[in-house]
Amino acid sequence: MSFYPTSPKAKGTNRRIVYATQIQDREIDLSPLSNYQNEKEYTKFLDSFYNAKAGVNTGNSIMQFSQFLLQRLNYQECSTLSIEPIINNAIGKLSNEVFRTGYNILCENEELKEFLKKRSKELELDKKLVESFECALIYGGCLIYRDRDLKENLGIPLHLSKEIAKKNPMRALNIIPPYLVGASNVEMFNPLDRGYMKPSLWNISGNSNIHSSRLIRLVIFRAPDLILPMFNFFGISLCQLMKESVRNTNTAYNAIADILLRFKTDIITSDLLKINPSEAIARAEFINKSKNNLGTLLLTKDEVMQQFVTSIAGLDKVVAQLQESVAIAARMPAVKLLGLTPSGFNATGDYDLNSFYDELESMQKSIIEPILLSIYRELALEFDSILESEISIEFNPLKEKNVSQDATALNLVLDSCLKGIEAGIITQEQALSIVKDNGFWANVDFEKENANLGEFEPLDFENEKEI
């Protein structure tokens, strides 16, 4: 695998920092950052664990490798770990659960709404989103290329208009894994720049530099800016997050299996000087092959037999703690990841599942929704007339309604409202608004008594005197 390193920046000129992707066995000539400023100034900002030889640029406090940091897994190892049963299960569960209930396109223009649904089916948008999400979980991120059959000037920004969208409509969504991508142009010096630590050009294998406006970068677990170049300007792989806990769990599983297989050891005290060594070994092998709970072992009068039994008490707690560490690394409860039944009195696991669904809903809102909106708004330009503000995305709830819990909650609200009415603190109309605020009886309207009898003017003391 090879990339096309860009030419080094001109010395003495104030240009963007050029970065070539991390290849350990490839020497790339990168000019030092000290050409831009005084060497004494930037040394003030060097971290104590800074490694000048391993930095992206000489004198840059953002390093690529350091012996004091956890080394990033290479993409080959990420691919291998992705087929490990527990990690593969976590990847599949996360990617499927995020898109399990689907979403709705909210738009006032019904014709535009039907057009967007039709175009999304043609592009297989839902399928591509699931594949890109899985790729980001395995490798830490990915790029989505919106193919408009444009072959020239891919390195310049794409300013999309209605004319370009209609002339070159979106034909496909191509998912590009990060092992075929390298950042070509990144601003890593000026933190006030809008594109700080955001590559403006990506070098894709088999192509020239592609501008970031033509690509969508999907990252689920974000890496800190200090070590972002170490992760090829993507995120952290779920395989790396789960590697240590899964390895410890598998080691414990193998050790427990060995203990269960050999938890009882027979020891025979014998005078081996009186026995032929070959006969002693043959006898031991025969005993190991034939011994069981119904067998009989013959010993001489000089031999004494002892048994040493290894205690297996508490191993279930060790396994449970290891499973919890795996579930924490996978960002999901053990009930969902491993299919375990919650233990304890009246344990259902609903609290853990609700917490898990809350995290998935935050992923939908912060990661998936902006990608969907950008794609749908570009597709809307192929329609005749549209305003961007007219399109929005609403995900269907992941949590299933619990009728018994809703009924219990409604009874509690009604009891408090009835007590408030009896005490004269609130009225019936105020009680109904309280019930609605708690998510119940949204379609119920308050009707005043004797509303059909007409309205009467209240009599005051003066009217009473006149009568």
Side-chain angles (χ1 to χ4, degrees), residues 59-94:
N60 192 351
S61 62
I62 301 177
M63 80 298 294
Q64 193 169 7
F65 294 100
S66 176
Q67 59 181 346
F68 300 101
L69 295 176
L70 178 65
Q71 296 297 318
R72 181 188 66 82
L73 299 182
N74 56 51
Y75 294 126
Q76 289 82 359
E77 190 172 0
C78 290
S79 299
T80 304
L81 288 174
S82 65
I83 62 176
E84 201 280 334
I86 298 179
I87 298 179
N88 185 270
N89 187 29
I91 293 172
K93 288 285 178 65
L94 279 175

Side-chain angles (χ1 to χ4, degrees), residues 163-228:
E163 292 75 15
I164 298 177
K166 292 181 179 180
K167 184 179 179 181
N168 301 96
M170 194 181 301
R171 300 193 312 168
L173 295 171
N174 300 330
I175 302 173
I176 307 170
Y179 55 81
L180 297 176
V181 174
S184 309
N185 195 314
V186 187
E187 175 60 64
M188 297 184 294
F189 173 64
N190 182 13
L192 302 181
D193 191 88
R194 292 180 59 186
Y196 177 67
M197 301 305 294
K198 298 178 182 178
S200 59
L201 289 176
W202 293 93
N203 196 312
I204 300 176
S205 178
N207 298 269
S208 59
N209 291 332
I210 310 296
H211 197 269
S212 60
S213 60
R214 304 171 186 268
L215 301 165
I216 299 176
R217 187 176 72 114
L218 174 59
V219 173
I220 301 175
F221 305 114
R222 186 177 177 274
D225 289 343
L226 190 64
I227 57 175
L228 193 57

Side-chain angles (χ1 to χ4, degrees), residues 427-437 441 444-446:
T427 62
Q428 294 183 0
E429 187 174 4
Q430 291 174 339
L432 180 59
S433 64
I434 293 174
V435 174
K436 288 184 177 181
D437 291 340
W441 296 355
V444 178
D445 295 328
F446 182 82

Side-chain angles (χ1 to χ4, degrees), residues 9-157:
K9 57 192 176 183
K11 297 182 178 180
T13 59
N14 190 8
R15 295 174 58 188
R16 284 179 177 269
I17 297 173
V18 178
Y19 170 77
T21 186
Q22 51 184 24
I23 301 295
Q24 300 183 36
D25 57 351
R26 189 185 187 95
E27 295 183 358
I28 301 175
D29 182 18
L30 295 174
S31 58
L33 186 64
S34 57
N35 290 338
Y36 292 106
Q37 57 184 359
N38 189 351
E39 185 175 354
K40 294 182 179 180
E41 292 295 328
Y42 72 78
T43 52
K44 297 179 181 179
F45 303 98
L46 297 184
D47 298 304
S48 59
F49 52 82
Y50 171 72
N51 185 353
K53 294 183 179 179
V56 177
N57 287 328
T58 304
N60 192 351
S61 62
I62 301 177
M63 80 298 294
Q64 193 169 7
F65 294 100
S66 176
Q67 59 181 346
F68 300 101
L69 295 176
L70 178 65
Q71 296 297 318
R72 181 188 66 82
L73 299 182
N74 56 51
Y75 294 126
Q76 289 82 359
E77 190 172 0
C78 290
S79 299
T80 304
L81 288 174
S82 65
I83 62 176
E84 201 280 334
I86 298 179
I87 298 179
N88 185 270
N89 187 29
I91 293 172
K93 288 285 178 65
L94 279 175
S95 56
N96 292 331
E97 286 292 327
V98 169
F99 303 99
R100 175 171 55 87
T101 57
Y103 59 91
N104 298 318
I105 305 173
L106 303 181
C107 181
E108 297 178 356
N109 192 333
E110 292 296 331
E111 295 182 1
L112 174 60
K113 186 176 180 180
E114 294 299 325
F115 173 78
L116 294 177
K117 290 182 178 180
K118 178 182 177 182
R119 291 289 287 127
S120 63
K121 291 181 179 179
E122 294 175 354
L123 297 173
E124 297 181 336
L125 179 57
D126 297 340
K127 179 182 177 181
K128 294 295 183 180
L129 283 176
V130 175
E131 293 178 359
S132 61
F133 202 85
E134 290 181 350
C135 184
L137 289 174
I138 296 173
Y139 300 109
C142 69
L143 295 177
I144 303 175
Y145 176 68
R146 293 159 289 189
D147 186 9
R148 296 184 176 275
D149 198 21
L150 300 174
K151 304 297 183 181
E152 299 179 354
N153 300 325
L154 298 180
I156 62 176

Side-chain angles (χ1 to χ4, degrees), residues 235-367:
I236 304 174
S237 168
L238 181 64
C239 298
Q240 177 159 355
L241 295 174
M242 297 184 63
K243 177 184 175 182
E244 294 297 326
S245 58
V246 171
R247 183 180 63 181
N248 295 335
T249 303
N250 290 337
T251 302
Y253 285 161
N254 296 331
I256 291 174
D258 292 337
I259 292 174
L260 295 177
L261 184 63
R262 303 178 181 88
F263 74 97
K264 184 177 67 173
T265 304
D266 297 335
I267 299 177
I268 300 175
T269 304
S270 177
D271 189 359
L272 297 179
L273 296 177
K274 299 179 181 180
I275 304 176
N276 190 346
S278 60
E279 294 180 359
I281 294 174
R283 185 184 180 209
E285 291 178 352
F286 174 76
I287 293 174
N288 290 333
K289 291 180 180 179
S290 60
K291 71 175 183 178
N292 54 55
N293 294 331
L294 302 178
T296 301
L297 181 61
L298 297 178
L299 302 175
T300 64
K301 63 178 182 179
D302 297 330
E303 292 178 331
V304 179
M305 182 178 177
Q306 294 177 323
Q307 285 187 341
F308 288 90
V309 179
T310 302
S311 176
I312 58 175
L315 291 181
D316 55 339
K317 296 182 179 180
V318 175
V319 174
Q321 291 179 351
L322 291 173
Q323 290 172 346
E324 289 179 1
S325 66
V326 172
I328 292 172
R331 268 75 169 174
M332 67 175 66
V335 178
K336 179 67 75 172
L337 176 62
L338 304 174
L340 300 177
T341 303
S343 59
F345 184 71
N346 289 335
T348 60
D350 291 339
Y351 177 80
D352 295 335
L353 289 176
N354 290 334
S355 178
F356 172 60
Y357 289 141
D358 289 340
E359 184 169 356
L360 291 185
E361 289 175 356
S362 65
M363 287 185 180
Q364 291 176 343
K365 191 69 176 178
S366 60
I367 300 176

